Amino acid sequence: MSRRNWVRLDNASNIFLAARTDVDPKVFRLGAEMDEEVDAGLLQAALEEVYDRFPLYHAVLRRGVFWYYLQDSDLIPRVAPETEPSCSPLYQVDHRTLLFRVLHHEKRISLEVFHALSDGTGALWFLTELLAAYARRRASAPAHPAPRGPRPAPPLHTLTTDSFAHYFRRRRRPAEDPAHAREFTRDAAPAALTVAGAGPTADGPAGAAPAPPPATRRRGRVHRVRGTRTPDHRTRVLELTMPTAQVLALARTERVALTMYLTALFLESVRRAAGGAADRSRLVASVPVNLRQFFPSTSARNFFATTSVEHTFGDDETLDQPEEIARSLQQAFDAEAAPAALAQRLRGLQRVERSPFARIVPRPLKDVILGLVNRGNNRHLTVAVSNLGRVVLPEPADSQVRRLQFHVSAARPQFCAISHGEHLTVTFTSPFVETDHVREFARLLTARGVDVTVAAPRTTEAELAETEDEEVER
Amino acid sequence: MSTCPECAVQVEGDWTRCPLCAAALSGGGAAGPWPVVPLRFSRRRVLRVLALASLAVIVLSFLAQLLFQPEAKGLGALRSTWLGIVTTWLVVVMAISKRRNIAKAVVYLVVAAGAVSVYWDYLTDFSGWSLTYVVPIVCFASIVGLLLTVRLIRMETADHIVYTGLVVLLGLTPLLFLALGWVGTWIPSAICGALSAVAVVLLLTVSGGAMRHELAQRLHL
């Protein structure tokens, strides 16, 4: 009889369960386009190798009286051809399934992850390892699938003792595989609690200036994008690929980071697409910040803080140029994402994690409260952006990958950016069929001399009917 | 790759119109990087709507019984048929919605069957048949059925232990009815109580550790 390891889900991850809907199942996708068609057999072998080294990904989600918790499982993931819309639901109540999937379609390998399990950075570690293992197999066996060798021994970690008292103290028995058990517990621990001291002197970048006090929330109506829902509630995805160097040069001219430059273009696109409805209201973009860069943590769990930046389009046209917006967004973002401000957020996260009140509230009630909190927050957001930055893969994977993809199921228009080599991929997702804001975004870029390529899955009835007509003609 | 003259972008895939602005594209396209996924309705959404609608009808049907006087003429047969159909429906809805975990389904079944029979008894002048016969027999049958099933389908201990524990505890309630003198014949309650007592002892000795582990997990603060 096996006694499975488990850890409770932290509050930051709980919000994804509470905010999960039919339209937005809180699933995100990271993917890579290879130089050749994907070999499913090699991919499966690579997945099994990597899966052994990522105990967190063995987890299934279960419901307790007060918490959701992640429980270790014996399930083996299977790679599958892509037959469902991207970011289809992964977690369903009472289904004991893994919280990620690996898909392939022609040249693409996609990793889809339920957001309660991990965040983009955590998932990127997994994808990197997966691509490396796949590319190694591909390089060593160009013609035939390699016979599956003995599995590499699990890595030896010098582990600290398990700090989580998960069982009743009485009659605690050793688990069957203590090394795996400890790895699971360590990897699955709430990330906020893995950081020792988050005082104001926490290891921020050297010489960082203390943050100015956070600006008081400005009042005023926040513009929210409305539209027609997609017919079967699948996420609308539009993927723009462009040369990294061209966009980076534009951002550097304005002395702003790429994320803020793209965000400024996004806000301007939303304004143009709204046709006057967004004038004089606040356009707010939520921007997650990866906390690992300031507070080192090995946890692959969710470990980010959300900040928001905003702009109000007014009468002064010089202030409303995307370049000018980018500069003011960058200023606001620098203040919000300063180490001191982030340390304060981290302390907040830890406080919530340990607060007795958050503990004794029964889970169904927690879901309702967090759902309401989330709805309240949504009312103050226009769009969301997320940038995983430039990714360098280990060889031979790096040379086999043409470009990377990253996008997330969305409750509001959103873009996710990732770059690899010469290609920057900016993927727009939205619960609505309308593509006006993406059209404006692409046109803003092409007007600035950027070469943009669009790739998109067919989503509306008309778009899908077109392929059926073609098949009939053939 | 084809080109959109309006947006000045290149388009991957076999689109004839620009996915951004719907203008006609120039140049031919090969297959794109995305698969074509046909539209489908959500089975989950359909099931949820049907389950909620069914529950509403069932609850209303039970409440409607309170409107009739017990001595109304010809009510007996009508009420039996009506409640019989509604109860069957309730069992079917529960079985479908809890099909993922048979042990959980049995807990729901015992509670629902017990509650419906007591309510039914109350509607028909409360002669005590529900507590004397139905509740002990349902509990007895559930304990035997559950203990056999979890072994036959090789269910993992952790997945059923809490529910098995609950069913066994429910099996002790007929002893309470017996002690309070609410039952007519003592035999069904005594048999059910005895079986439950044996099962409690067995569970605690054989699976006590698993039970504690599972409860620690579920009740973790």
Side-chain angles (χ1 to χ4, degrees), chain A residues 10 29 56 72 75 99 102 118 126 134 145 148 170 174 213 270-271 309 337 362 384 403-404 440 450:
Chain A
D10 53 306
R29 171 186 285 205
L56 175 66
D72 200 4
L75 298 170
L99 302 174
V102 174
S118 185
F126 189 88
Y134 175 77
R148 223 174 272 173
R170 206 151 62 92
V270 169
R271 183 193 70 86
V309 291
R403 58 180 171 180
L404 294 177
E440 295 304 330
V450 179

Side-chain angles (χ1 to χ4, degrees), chain A residues 182-199:
Chain A
R182 279 183 312 220
E183 273 173 40
F184 180 84
T185 314
R186 182 203 55 182
D187 280 19
L193 298 182
T194 61
V195 177

Side-chain angles (χ1 to χ4, degrees), chain A residues 4 22 62 65 67 69 71 94-96 167 171 232 234 359 403 435 452 454 458 461 466, chain B residues 10 12 14 16 20 33 37-40 45 100 104 156 159 212-214 217-218 220-221:
Chain A
R4 299 192 180 284
D22 266 353
R62 296 192 61 195
V65 175
W67 295 96
Y69 47 89
Q71 181 181 287
D94 281 351
H95 289 225
R96 212 57 70 73
Y167 316 124
R171 290 218 329 196
D232 55 358
R234 67 175 72 176
R359 289 168 173 230
R403 58 180 171 180
T435 57
V452 178
V454 182
R458 294 173 185 271
E461 275 173 90
E466 213 175 50
Chain B
Q10 296 213 295
E12 289 176 65
D14 49 1
T16 53
L20 302 182
V37 184
L39 290 178
R40 65 183 66 168
R45 218 173 302 149
R100 307 278 165 202
K104 199 190 268 188
E156 223 174 272
D159 288 349
R212 275 192 294 276
H213 176 83
E214 198 60 21
Q217 196 169 336
R218 286 167 186 263
H220 175 76
L221 265 176

Side-chain angles (χ1 to χ4, degrees), chain B residues 103-201:
Chain B
K104 199 190 268 188
V106 171
V107 175
Y108 276 72
L109 183 76
V110 171
V111 171
V116 167
S117 62
V118 170
Y119 181 61
W120 200 327
D121 198 357
Y122 160 78
L123 290 172
T124 51
D125 289 339
F126 210 78
S127 50
W129 55 265
S130 57
L131 295 182
T132 308
Y133 298 105
V134 181
V135 174
I137 291 174
V138 166
C139 287
F140 180 88
S142 306
I143 294 170
V144 174
L146 190 56
L147 289 179
L148 283 179
T149 313
V150 295
R151 265 154 198 77
L152 287 176
I153 63 171
R154 292 166 184 272
M155 203 168 186
E156 223 174 272
T157 316
D159 288 349
H160 72 76
I161 192 75
V162 167
Y163 304 109
T164 312
L166 275 175
V167 171
V168 169
L169 286 182
L170 286 172
L172 290 173
T173 50
L175 287 182
L176 182 73
F177 304 151
L178 196 61
L180 294 171
W182 290 355
V183 295
T185 314
W186 59 274
I187 298 172
S189 303
I191 295 178
C192 177
L195 176 76
S196 305
V198 172
V200 166
V201 173

Side-chain angles (χ1 to χ4, degrees), chain B residues 7-39:
Chain B
C7 303
V9 297
Q10 296 213 295
V11 179
E12 289 176 65
D14 49 1
W15 294 80
T16 53
R17 297 189 160 274
C18 174
L20 302 182
C21 69
L25 296 176
S26 62
W34 290 91
V36 175
V37 184
L39 290 178

